[in-house]
Amino acid sequence: MIGLDFNHNHFELFGLTPRYEVDVAELESTFRSLQSQVHPDKFAHLSEAEKRVSMQWSTRVNEAYQTLKSPLNRAVYILQLQGIDALAQTNTQLPMAFLMQQIEWREAIQDAQQARDVDGLQLVETDVAAHSKQWREQLMKQLDQDQDWRAATDSVRQLKFVEKIMSEIDDAYAALDV
């Protein structure tokens, strides 16, 4: 475990620049490399203290990987590094147009589910996915280019709601037994 420092943030631990856009293949490769260095099985023959440290490192590497792997969690983490809690319960304002879009998607999901309309559900899913892609691209610009933390915070909150909508679509598919 030479070179590992518990004071490093997730990006530093993985040797990455703190950016929204990451090379996923590099992230996964580094994850496997780090896990091969710290996995508890590698320390099974050592003292209890060394096993415990290995377990802490393994947990830390897993936590960092899970955070950096998820685009939404990565954005939340970048904002945390700036001292911003993007998902704070006190920050509940969203643009009216976004709220109306959410209502329309939820109604369309319910309508498709009640009518057992798989094609209709797929149309909603395609629309949500297209909007989500646009918002993620916007978020990348806000975080990596503009460093507009306020706008990025709003985008993160919107993407969190979009994630919930996608979950509702998955639930609707499951209810339709698709």
Side-chain angles (χ1 to χ4, degrees), residues 105-123:
W105 283 331
R106 286 200 161 102
E107 289 174 352
I109 293 167
Q110 287 177 340
D111 290 348
Q113 188 174 353
Q114 289 173 352
R116 304 196 59 73
D117 179 5
V118 174
D119 292 339
L121 196 54
Q122 288 173 335
L123 285 175

Side-chain angles (χ1 to χ4, degrees), residues 11 17-21 74-87 91 138-158:
F11 288 102
T17 301
R19 297 179 47 88
Y20 182 72
E21 186 175 28
R74 187 170 53 245
V76 169
Y77 186 70
I78 289 169
L79 291 169
Q80 281 178 336
L81 292 175
Q82 299 303 317
I84 299 167
D85 182 358
L87 301 177
N91 189 1
Q138 176 181 311
L139 181 59
M140 181 170 37
K141 183 178 181 307
Q142 292 164 341
L143 290 171
D144 294 349
Q145 294 175 16
D146 302 339
Q147 297 184 341
D148 185 346
W149 311 128
R150 183 174 174 83
T153 298
D154 291 343
S155 293
V156 162
R157 295 179 54 246
Q158 290 175 1

Side-chain angles (χ1 to χ4, degrees), residues 22-83:
V22 297
D23 181 337
V24 175
E26 180 183 356
L27 178 68
E28 290 180 14
S29 173
T30 304
F31 171 69
R32 284 191 296 277
S33 174
L34 287 171
Q35 275 299 351
S36 73
Q37 294 175 45
V38 300
H39 197 277
D41 289 348
K42 189 173 178 177
F43 298 88
H45 63 288
L46 297 178
S47 71
E48 289 302 315
E50 290 167 309
K51 290 179 197 174
R52 193 171 31 258
V53 170
S54 166
M55 181 65 75
Q56 289 171 334
W57 267 114
S58 182
T59 301
R60 175 85 164 78
V61 168
N62 278 332
E63 176 187 302
Y65 175 67
Q66 294 303 321
T67 299
L68 298 179
K69 184 175 78 169
S70 160
L72 182 59
N73 291 341
R74 187 170 53 245
V76 169
Y77 186 70
I78 289 169
L79 291 169
Q80 281 178 336
L81 292 175
Q82 299 303 317

Side-chain angles (χ1 to χ4, degrees), residues 151-170:
T153 298
D154 291 343
S155 293
V156 162
R157 295 179 54 246
Q158 290 175 1
L159 283 170
K160 185 71 176 171
F161 277 96
V162 167
E163 193 173 84
K164 289 179 186 173
I165 295 284
M166 291 303 275
S167 177
E168 290 175 23
I169 291 170
D170 289 343

